[in-house]
Amino acid sequence: MNKAKKLYLETFGCQMNVSDSEKIVTLMKGIGYQQTADPVEADLVLLNTCSIRATAEQRVYGHLGKFKSMKKQKPGLIIGVGGCVAQQEGERLLRKAPFVSLVFGTHNLHLLQKMVSGAEQGKQSVATDFLDDEKRFDLFPHAESEGGVSRFVTVMQGCDNFCAYCIVPHVRGREISRSADKVVEEVAALAAAGVTEVTLLGQNVNSYGFKEPGAPDFADLLRLVAQVEGIERLRFTTSHPKDISPRLIACFAEIPKLAPHIHLPAQSGSDAVLQGMNRGYTRVQYLEKVRALRDACPGIQFTGDMIVGFPGEDEACFEQTMELIEEVQYADLFSFIYSARPGTKAAGFPDEVRRAEKQARLERLQAAQKKITLARNESFVGGVQRVLVEGPSSTGDALFGRTGGNRATVMNGDPALAGRLVEVRITEGLQTLLKGEILDV
Ligand code: SF4
């Protein structure tokens, strides 16, 4: 009997890449590769990459160095690079790393089986063409409906916003929305396989359907997906604040399955910086959306992203960011030092903020947010949260789940509760998670 070929896959970056990686696993299974967590036993190594920050890109090249040494020991090893760095680098990646056999861009997953089969015959290949038509979604095979508790479903791809710092429109292409029928079909198939929670995924889900007048918009799509039997909880990510409509805000009041959590990246608290970033909203407009969401859904949890040290950010601008996080009281905040990405508008801006200053601001921001996060987690103690049990905790001696507000929670209970929504009394609020006791089963 032939020994199964082994795939070692590493995924960097956002949920879009995580979702693409699920598709990669399905595709590679189709040509006889089983996934392994051990790179040493791999016949095929694929890196699904991210280029959103310079550090993310550098990490990819660092990893490739490691696999280059492995290939010296095992010359038949096939190494492939996909995702945003592959899209950006194309042929250049093969010149920098000639031991790589295939480079596949963000629109080229449908070619992957052929490329890997070619690499098995010793052929190198690069595919980074953008697909501009609606076929983009049809050409991307979906992840297998093999169950689990919580899954991502892609509803739109690409972005038309061109925020001045962002590489995404350059490496993921223009925005397209998948048909509502196709989305509902996929969600129904996942529900039939036992999935309880879906997260609708896209670079800016709020502009879903904008390009097709009369077609369902994102609020309509949420209502359609909420009707799928078996789906108990619904989430979405990522939102652009400028595109949050009153209809979408109303969904939080009117759709009981919609989880009370929104990832709403502000990126800065300063109007001057927001304008430089081309974000399309002011600080006041952002805060109005936050207030409207809180009015529609008291208890909604906010998470966000913040960039520190964008060109033109002076101390006063940064103070406005510090004030914004106090005002919003984010449950969690992902914050980063600005790094210029080649090809973006901001790469041409004079970057006069010193590196040490950026680092100091980031540390201040993160220290303040850490206190806010802990205080928010402590505020849940004594209350009851509906938790979706995902399975055993990482230590294996308890259950792990998430509250509607997306707070990680551990509790004791029967592992057979995986996939069930349970009432949990919160007994402890720690920095990164809540602890609690299940009240009912
Ligand atoms: S909305 Fe802005 S930050 Fe988000 S993907 Fe589009 S260009 Fe990038």
Side-chain angles (χ1 to χ4, degrees):
M1 204 171 77
N2 279 345
K3 203 169 135 262
K5 297 177 284 186
K6 294 283 169 71
L7 159 71
Y8 176 75
L9 172 64
E10 268 191 54
T11 307
F12 301 82
C14 67
Q15 286 306 337
M16 198 57 93
N17 273 10
V18 173
S19 170
D20 282 351
S21 283
E22 286 188 8
K23 290 166 194 158
I24 290 173
V25 170
T26 306
L27 282 166
M28 292 302 96
K29 238 188 224 174
I31 54 168
Y33 284 89
Q34 272 176 13
Q35 197 175 3
T36 174
D38 181 3
V40 174
E41 59 176 29
D43 302 290
L44 168 64
V45 168
L46 294 178
L47 304 183
N48 191 10
T49 62
C50 169
S51 58
I52 197 102
R53 272 169 275 284
T55 43
E57 194 178 315
Q58 284 148 13
R59 269 172 69 203
V60 171
Y61 280 107
H63 269 56
L64 278 175
K66 184 176 85 185
F67 293 116
K68 181 184 177 187
S69 324
M70 280 175 62
K71 195 170 163 89
K72 278 197 187 135
Q73 312 293 321
K74 193 176 178 179
L77 179 67
I78 299 169
I79 300 171
V81 182
C84 297
V85 174
Q87 185 65 47
Q88 197 179 284
E89 296 284 275
E91 297 267 356
R92 201 166 43 220
L93 201 149
L94 284 193
R95 287 199 293 277
K96 284 188 193 166
F99 52 90
V100 167
S101 295
L102 48 127
V103 177
F104 54 103
T106 54
H107 289 197
N108 303 100
L109 288 191
H110 61 293
L111 301 175
L112 191 56
Q113 288 185 329
K114 212 167 139 200
M115 292 172 83
V116 171
S117 302
E120 288 170 347
Q121 312 301 319
K123 287 188 201 138
Q124 270 186 325
S125 56
V126 176
T128 53
D129 285 347
F130 271 167
L131 302 173
D132 277 334
D133 55 31
E134 295 288 325
K135 284 204 168 124
R136 245 158 92 182
F137 283 117
D138 294 337
L139 286 171
F140 283 18
H142 304 143
E144 278 176 25
S145 305
E146 56 192 14
V149 171
S150 181
R151 297 289 291 273
F152 288 94
V153 173
T154 304
V155 303
M156 54 85 64
Q157 286 184 339
C159 185
D160 292 351
N161 285 312
F162 289 92
C163 297
Y165 54 82
C166 184
I167 194 79
V168 166
H170 306 272
V171 292
R172 288 267 172 191
R174 295 295 72 72
E175 181 179 308
I176 61 162
S177 297
R178 198 170 167 201
S179 86
D181 289 349
K182 285 268 165 57
V183 173
V184 170
E185 206 179 284
E186 187 170 332
V187 172
L190 291 171
V195 170
T196 314
E197 176 185 81
V198 288
T199 302
L200 305 186
L201 185 65
Q203 254 86 33
N204 174 19
V205 289
N206 305 149
S207 59
Y208 173 88
F210 273 15
K211 284 184 169 171
E212 285 177 73
D217 67 5
F218 192 58
D220 295 324
L221 185 70
L222 283 175
R223 290 177 199 276
L224 288 168
V225 172
Q227 285 167 23
V228 175
E229 213 174 307
I231 295 300
E232 302 291 339
R233 188 183 266 173
L234 189 53
R235 299 184 184 278
F236 61 84
T237 196
T238 284
S239 287
H240 194 305
K242 79 174 165 51
D243 294 322
I244 298 255
S245 66
R247 279 165 48 72
L248 179 55
I249 292 171
C251 289
F252 280 98
E254 294 164 9
I255 304 177
K257 288 181 182 176
L258 185 58
H261 166 235
I262 187 164
H263 187 72
L264 196 63
Q267 307 296 9
S268 171
S270 147
D271 282 348
V273 174
L274 288 171
Q275 199 178 7
M277 287 176 166
N278 191 31
R279 287 290 285 173
Y281 53 85
T282 62
R283 170 198 181 86
V284 165
Q285 286 165 337
Y286 179 86
L287 288 170
E288 275 167 5
K289 302 260 165 117
V290 168
R291 260 189 295 277
L293 283 157
R294 283 215 163 103
D295 287 348
C297 181
I300 191 170
Q301 301 295 307
F302 290 88
T303 51
D305 301 333
M306 214 61 90
I307 295 171
V308 168
F310 187 77
E313 181 193 77
D314 60 16
E315 192 55 31
C317 296
F318 176 67
E319 282 306 327
Q320 290 180 315
T321 295
M322 292 292 283
E323 284 163 22
L324 187 86
I325 69 161
E326 292 296 340
E327 188 152 353
V328 177
Q329 293 282 301
Y330 294 100
D332 257 325
L333 187 70
F334 303 92
S335 48
F336 311 93
I337 289 178
Y338 167 75
S339 60
R341 309 309 295 125
T344 61
K345 194 172 167 206
F349 294 174
D351 185 1
E352 61 287 293
V353 189
R354 285 181 306 114
R355 175 80 204 182
E357 184 56 44
K358 290 178 186 175
Q359 185 63 38
R361 287 180 193 167
L362 183 72
E363 285 168 16
R364 272 178 65 200
L365 182 73
Q366 291 184 335
Q369 180 58 45
K370 209 171 160 190
K371 282 187 193 157
I372 295 171
T373 297
L374 179 61
R376 291 200 70 79
N377 284 349
E378 286 172 347
S379 74
F380 292 112
V381 174
V384 175
Q385 294 285 321
R386 289 200 89 198
V387 174
L388 177 63
V389 180
E390 293 185 12
S393 65
S394 55
T395 50
D397 56 355
L399 296 180
F400 176 86
R402 287 185 181 274
T403 67
N406 211 22
R407 303 286 74 211
T409 307
V410 289
M411 60 248 143
N412 289 325
D414 184 345
L417 288 172
R420 294 259 309 269
L421 277 164
V422 294
E423 304 277 310
V424 174
R425 182 172 304 286
I426 303 303
T427 53
E428 254 184 285
L430 306 176
Q431 188 68 55
T432 56
L433 54 82
L434 308 177
K435 289 187 176 178
E437 293 162 353
I438 296 176
L439 294 182
D440 69 340
V441 279

